[in-house]
């Protein structure tokens, strides 16, 4: 046998050599690998061969393979081995560890790792029942030397990870091992601490002895392993072990913070300890770290690491120490409360705050950002926020924050010490910019919390900084250090930007105490006037000035005479043109200033219209002048100015006055929109292409573009109408509305029906709008796409910014203010068609909620919609169809009055859902068969990128359809009787309507049975055509490969819809189809835990509800692979002929076992070889209570005892 083992080992050594040799050919390497794998799987001599190869005389790679063979035997053959073979293998491995390893510095790390894996695999199968002395044997190994001691630490760490962290073994075995570890934790923890204490003590003695240098390094290696192992246990062992012996462990860890070679690992252990969760009384002893000596150890270690300069290891240590301090602060906030009078603020709290402030002052973005959340918790704490030491630290924190708000420290720059640290933490300026944005946002919230504790100091600090910036000399350096999208801001702008953000945070809080502080009001008014008088031609600085104007605008209430100055300042910014900008070469910064000014005007007129109303004539004169001279502002700015007028006109609160004013305001728009030229241009797709200049064969220069004026006129009309339609409103108070003549009557339910002041104009535009929508849909026909000029072949494609967003490509995170808005004429044309499309549907979508009966009562509304909005849909791309559903269909359906459901909603929604279901089913079929598509189908663009984009668009459209059905049909159950009439959008997430992918669908998963139908949902299900369309479309996403759409329709749609129609005559083939789709959904999405639970519950509900009426469901179940027929018979018999009630949980578990064969698995689990770990005899046998002797007197019935 020995000769056979030697011969096999020689072959295995040769095979391993071929596998690892870089010069080996692929064929030889595959053959060698195949030989090794077949040996491990089939050879009965694996154990002797593995032990022979693991001998320390072999090369490291050969030893590693031999140990892998032994690991394979333990994992896959252990259950079939004889007891004596198991004992032999265990003893042989322990002997190898004892005498078959090199010294701690010579032994390879991967060899130690596989030794640890082998021992842990045996522990998981044998301990404690069949290997009770395991801990004693490991302890004996530590007497052999540093190598064995380090390996024992690695074994204990891996055991904790497998049992507690990863839980990678069966529940019963995990319970046995975890229970035994917990029972022996005193001994185990003491053992690990003794190893750490001894190794550290010897290391400190020998580390300065040059003769014993190697010995000291080995001891250091053991100490590091001990600390890493302790870190694996500290997170979950009872806190009593951590604070045992008067917190000996924590004291030792604090001392080790001063040991250079061990400080990082010691800080890791401290961090895990002070981050513990659990009962407050268990965590209270952790505050021992606030003692004077412990705090001194932490602070001195931080100072030493900071003095060493930019050394990566010292920087990592500083990070851990910073996290330790932050975790300590969180523990203090948890342990000290107003209800617990015994808990007191630590005596060293002031020293702790100074240390935290030092880290906040550090130039590293990581360190100062780590402290911000802790400061916020302290400032918002009920008790600590009143502590004098914390109140004294508020001004210091605010002063430090003024520096931290300044955006410096880019990795590519040398503008400060922060850049050096940024090069260690960030790969690019873009990464730094994104991280800084998150940091500044969180810091702003914290500064606001701090200013609430000392508002006067914060306000005066903000005023001081603002005054300094207003009088500071302008920066003579170029505004940007570089050019292009990656350019960085100038130092002057960085200061202005930081000051602006600081003022915004401070003023939000200070406004709450304005009424009590006369001095504060005077200072605020003075600052407002100073901002109004400041002049600059730098667009980025001007944008900051506008932000400060918005911050201090609330003080206008105390000096209303300044309102004309405010409006003039904003009007000047609306028409701002920077030096060097032409009509077609406007920089992004200049455009941002104009739009910033527009949004500021809108904000002022929206939030404080009563302050602007006295100056309405002044406002009108400026706006009319701007509208009359196109050169003063662009289309967007002019439309926004009209929006501003509408906001203020709402305060007239007189229907007739408002109607006349809006008619006058809209007359120029109506003149353009209803002109013969525009009517002819939008009458057909060819006419529109020619009118906007999209048929040009070569791109003209921007100055020579003859059709630009045509595009501008159309854009202006639509921009203005969108804003006017959204902003025009009636008074929110019903009594005011009635007095102003806005109430036209009352509905059957008694709610008022309002008159829309702008309704007359919108109704005039509808005919032209329908024509334009029909023309836009026709633009996507292939024959018309060919008529586009070669410069504009992609003018109707998706915008580049939308494409990047859908593909997950990050947009530039640093300033690009000097870049033009559009780079090419094609991009201009793309932007034009995009805004044209979206604006039309926004206007049409607002008609329902604004015009109400005037819109839904139109006699030919449905035919006109079908002939415009829903024509040529086969050619409309997915990215265009999404806004149709979101901007028009959803508000159209939700705003429809109940009496119009039959005439308006059903003829639209039923056919539309049928079409969308068929379209998406074909799309998903194409996606699933993508491998059959040749790359030659994509000659113009990367096929891979195009496929990913198409795939994502199909997913987003699928989710949009699911969202549409959800808001139309279901709502969450509520005891509030008015909840059913609430907006169905409540069941969706609070994300904006145009949010992409997960944001739109990331709703809180409702509990099964928590959804119920809305009135509209019940009406639609009562209509045969609409009901069929809803059910078929709701059950289709179950088989589409989009997890989010599947999960949402499973949880919110499928069962509420089906339950409503069960009582009616549901065809048998429909029941089979729905149930089959659920099972197919399990096959497609079963690998996802969220979908799996929801789909199993849905399948269970459907089968239990429909099986008695539809026996055909039995045949569907029989087609499931590997379904046990007798178990299915048992389930059916209990369902059809119940003899006794079985609780739902057991029924569902039984059903889940039946359908297990159709539940899909992840690809990585389909072909994985299973590892089976058998359960061992129970540790605690239940004692069988012996039967008591029966008293003959008690053998009779119980009533006999009470008979005389």
């Amino acid at each position: 046998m020995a000769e056979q083992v030697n011969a096999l080992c020689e072959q295995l050594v040769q095979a391993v050599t071929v596998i690892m040799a870089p010069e080996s050919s692929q064929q030889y390497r595959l053959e060698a690998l195949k030989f090794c794998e077949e040996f491990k799987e089939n050879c009965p001599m694996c154990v002797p061969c593995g032990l022979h190869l693991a001998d320390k005389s072999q090369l490291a790679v050969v030893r590693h393979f031999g140990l892998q063979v032994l690991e394979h035997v333990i994992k896959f053959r252990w259950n079939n081995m004889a007891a004596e073979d198991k004992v032999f293998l265990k003893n042989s491995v322990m002997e190898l560890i004892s005498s078959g390893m090199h010294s701690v510095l010579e032994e390879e790390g991967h060899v130690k790792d596989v030794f640890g894996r082998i021992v842990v695999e045996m522990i998981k199968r044998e301990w404690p029942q069949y290997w009770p002395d395991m801990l004693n044997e490991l302890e004996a190994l530590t007497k052999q030397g540093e190598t064995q001691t380090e390996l024992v630490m690695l074994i204990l760490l891996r055991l904790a990870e497998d049992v507690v962290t990863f839980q990678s073994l069966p529940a019963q075995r995990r319970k046995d091992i975890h229970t035994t570890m917990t029972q022996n934790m005193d001994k185990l923890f003491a053992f690990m601490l003794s190893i750490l204490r001894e190794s550290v003590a010897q290391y400190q003695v020998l580390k300065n002895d040059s003769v014993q240098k190697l010995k000291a390094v080995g001891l250091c290696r053991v100490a590091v392993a001990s600390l890493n192992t302790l870190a694996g246990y500290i997170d979950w062992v009872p806190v009593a072990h951590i604070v045992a012996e008067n917190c000996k462990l924590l004291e030792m860890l604090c001392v080790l913070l001063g040991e250079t070679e061990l400080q990082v690992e010691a800080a890791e252990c401290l961090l895990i300890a002070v981050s513990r969760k659990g009962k407050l009384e268990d965590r209270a002893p952790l505050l021992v770290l606030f003692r004077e000596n412990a705090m001194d150890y932490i602070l001195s270690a931080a100072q030493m690491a900071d003095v060493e300069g930019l050394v990566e290891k010292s920087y990592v240590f500083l990070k851990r120490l910073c996290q330790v301090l932050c975790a300590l602060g969180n523990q203090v906030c948890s342990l000290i409360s107003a209800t617990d009078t015994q808990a007191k603020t630590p005596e060293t709290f002031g020293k702790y705050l100074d240390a935290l402030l030092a880290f906040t002052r550090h130039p590293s973005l990581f360190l100062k950002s780590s402290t911000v959340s802790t400061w916020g918790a302290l400032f918002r704490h009920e008790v600590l926020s009143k502590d004098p030491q914390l109140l004294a630290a508020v001004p210091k924190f605010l002063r430090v924050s003024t520096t931290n708000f300044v955006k410096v420290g880019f990795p590519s720059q040398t503008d400060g010490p922060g850049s050096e640290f940024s090069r260690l933490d960030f790969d690019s300026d873009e990464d730094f910019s994104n991280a800084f944005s998150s940091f500044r946002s969180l810091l702003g919230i914290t500064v606001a919390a701090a200013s609430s504790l000392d508002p006067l100091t914060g306000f005066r600090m903000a005023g001081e900084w603002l005054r300094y910036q207003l009088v500071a000399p302008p920066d003579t350096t170029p505004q940007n250090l570089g050019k292009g999208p990656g350019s960085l801001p100038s130092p002057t702008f960085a200061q202005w930007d930081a000051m602006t953000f600081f003022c915004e945070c401070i003023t939000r809080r200070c406004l709450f105490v304005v009424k009590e502080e006369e001095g504060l009001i005077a200072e605020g008014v003075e600052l407002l006037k100073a901002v109004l008088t400041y002049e600059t031609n730098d667009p980025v600085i001007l944008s900051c000035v506008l932000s400060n104007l918005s911050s201090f605008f609330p003080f206008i209430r105390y000096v209303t005479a300044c309102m004309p100055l405010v409006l003039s300042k904003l009007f000047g910014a609306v028409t701002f043109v920077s030096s060097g900008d032409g009509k077609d070469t406007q920089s992004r910064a200049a455009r941002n200033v104009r739009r910033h000014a527009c949004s500021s005007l809108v904000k002022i007129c929206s939030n404080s219209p009563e302050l602007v109303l006295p100056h309405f004539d002044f406002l009108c004169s400026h706006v009319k002048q701007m509208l009359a001279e196109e050169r003063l502002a662009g289309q967007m700015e002019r439309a926004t100015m009209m929006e501003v007028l509408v906001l203020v006109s709402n305060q007239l609160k007189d229907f007739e006055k408002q109607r006349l004013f809006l008619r006058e305001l809209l007359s120029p728009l109506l003149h353009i929109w209803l002109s013969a030229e525009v009517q002819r241009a939008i009458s057909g797709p060819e006419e529109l292409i020619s009118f906007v200049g999209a048929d040009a064969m070569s791109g003209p220069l921007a100055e020579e573009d003859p059709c630009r004026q045509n595009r501008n006129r159309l854009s202006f009309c639509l921009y203005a109408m969108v804003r006017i339609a959204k902003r025009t409103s009636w008074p929110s108070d019903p009594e005011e509305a009635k007095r102003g003549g806005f109430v036209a009557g009352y509905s059957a339910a008694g709610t008022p029906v309002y008159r829309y002041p702008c309704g007359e104009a919108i109704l005039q535009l509808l005919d032209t709008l329908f024509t334009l929508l029909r023309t836009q849909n026709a633009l996507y026909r292939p024959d018309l796409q060919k008529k586009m000029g070669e410069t504009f072949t992609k003018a109707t494609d998706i915008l580049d910014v939308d494409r990047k967003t859908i593909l997950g490509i990050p947009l530039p995170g640093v300033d690009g203010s000097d870049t033009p808005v559009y780079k090419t004429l094609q991009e201009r044309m793309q932007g034009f068609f995009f805004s044209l499309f979206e604006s039309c549907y926004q206007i049409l979508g607002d008609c329902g909620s604004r015009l109400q009966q005037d819109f839904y009562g139109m006699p030919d509304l449905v035919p006109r919609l079908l002939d415009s909005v829903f024509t040529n849909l086969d050619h409309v791309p997915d990215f265009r169809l999404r806004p149709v559903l979101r901007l028009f269909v959803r508000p159209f359906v939700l705003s429809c009055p109940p009496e119009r459901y039959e005439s308006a909603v059903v003829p639209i929604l039923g056919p539309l859902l049928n079409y969308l279901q068929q379209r998406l089913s074909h799309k998903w079929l194409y996606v699933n068969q993508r491998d059959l598509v040749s790359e030659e189908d994509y000659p113009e663009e990367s096929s891979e990128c195009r496929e990913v984009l198409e795939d994502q668009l199909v997913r987003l459209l699928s989710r949009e359809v699911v969202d549409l059905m959800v808001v139309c049909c279901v709502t969450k159950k509520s005891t509030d009787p008015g909840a059913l009439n609430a907006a169905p959008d409540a069941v969706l997430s609070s994300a904006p309507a145009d949010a992409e992918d997960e944001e739109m669908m990331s709703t809180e998963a409702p509990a099964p049975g928590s959804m119920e139908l809305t009135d509209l949902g019940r009406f639609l299900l009562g209509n045969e055509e609409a009901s069929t369309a809803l059910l078929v479309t709701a059950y289709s996403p179950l088989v589409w490969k989009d997890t989010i759409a599947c999960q949402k329709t499973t949880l919110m749609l499928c069962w509420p819809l089906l339950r409503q129609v069960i009582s009616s005559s549901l065809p048998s083939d429909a029941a089979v189809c729905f149930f089959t789709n659920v099972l197919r959904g399990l096959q497609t999405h079963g690998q996802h835990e969220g979908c799996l639970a929801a789909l199993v519950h849905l399948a269970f509900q459907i089968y239990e509800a429909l099986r008695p009426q539809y026996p055909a469901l039995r045949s569907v179940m029989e087609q499931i692979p590997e379904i046990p027929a007798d178990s299915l018979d048992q389930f059916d018999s209990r369902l059809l002929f119940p003899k006794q009630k079985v609780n739902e949980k057991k029924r569902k578990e039984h059903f889940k076992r039946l359908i297990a064969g159709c539940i899909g698995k992840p690809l990585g689990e389909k072909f994985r070889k299973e590892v089976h770990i058998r359960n061992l005899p129970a540790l605690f046998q239940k004692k069988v209570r012996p039967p008591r002797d029966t008293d003959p007197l008690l053998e009779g019935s119980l009533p006999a005892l009470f008979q005389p």
Side-chain angles (χ1 to χ4, degrees), residues 399 456-473 495-496 499-500 502-503 519-534 545 548 552 555:
R399 184 64 64 184
L456 298 181
T457 299
F459 189 79
R460 292 192 177 105
M461 203 174 292
E464 174 188 339
W465 196 3
L466 175 59
R467 290 189 186 93
Y468 174 80
Q469 288 300 136
L470 291 175
V471 299
Q495 291 289 332
W496 268 96
M499 180 272 297
T500 300
F502 184 77
C503 289
L520 191 62
I521 295 174
E523 188 171 357
V525 170
E526 181 184 349
L527 291 171
L528 176 62
K529 292 180 179 179
V531 172
L532 288 173
T533 57
Y534 183 79
V545 173
N548 284 285
F552 292 96
F555 291 97

Side-chain angles (χ1 to χ4, degrees), residues 51-73:
L51 292 172
H52 182 80
L53 294 174
D55 189 84
K56 69 178 181 180
S57 61
Q58 302 281 0
L59 294 175
V61 292
V62 176
R63 295 176 65 207
H64 184 263
F65 175 75
L67 294 171
Q68 278 188 323
V69 171
L70 296 179
E71 182 186 13
H72 186 274
V73 170

Side-chain angles (χ1 to χ4, degrees), residues 653-671:
K653 297 182 181 179
D654 184 290
F655 176 81
E656 195 59 31
K657 287 183 180 180
Q658 192 172 353
R659 185 184 67 82
L660 293 175
F661 170 77
L662 291 174
R663 187 171 67 178
E664 179 185 357
L665 183 65
L666 288 170
S667 59
L669 298 181
L670 294 175
H671 176 73

Side-chain angles (χ1 to χ4, degrees), residues 448 451-452 455-456 459 505-517 520 554-555 558:
S451 64
S452 66
L456 298 181
F459 189 79
C505 299
I506 293 294
T507 53
R508 282 200 300 263
R509 292 289 180 178
C510 292
L511 293 175
F512 293 109
V513 297
V514 141
K515 296 180 180 179
E516 291 81 8
E517 295 289 340
L520 191 62
F555 291 97
Y558 305 99

Side-chain angles (χ1 to χ4, degrees), residues 934-965:
S934 170
E935 293 186 2
E936 297 177 357
D937 293 339
Y938 306 112
E940 300 178 0
E941 192 175 352
S942 167
S943 61
E944 182 179 356
C945 182
R946 183 66 174 268
E947 287 177 3
V948 173
L949 180 62
E950 290 179 354
D951 187 7
Q952 290 300 314
L953 287 172
V954 173
R955 293 177 187 275
L956 293 174
L957 182 58
S958 302
R959 298 170 194 177
E960 198 74 55
V961 172
V962 173
D963 272 342
L964 175 63
M965 291 188 293

Side-chain angles (χ1 to χ4, degrees), residues 378-443:
L378 293 172
F379 291 144
R380 288 186 289 268
H381 195 270
E382 187 178 4
V383 176
L384 293 175
S385 61
K386 302 173 184 176
D387 187 273
Q389 298 174 91
L390 183 63
L391 293 175
V394 168
K396 300 177 185 178
F397 173 79
L398 292 176
R399 184 64 64 184
V400 171
S401 297
T402 59
T403 305
N404 289 342
F405 275 127
V406 182
K407 192 174 185 178
V408 294
F410 283 89
S412 64
Q413 301 300 309
T414 56
D415 53 358
S419 297
E420 299 179 357
F421 293 98
S422 296
R423 292 188 195 102
L424 295 176
D425 291 328
F426 304 102
D427 294 329
S428 65
D429 288 347
E430 188 172 314
D431 291 344
F432 171 83
S433 184
N434 293 332
F436 186 86
S437 298
S438 301
F439 159 70
R440 193 168 72 164
S441 176
L442 184 59
L443 181 60

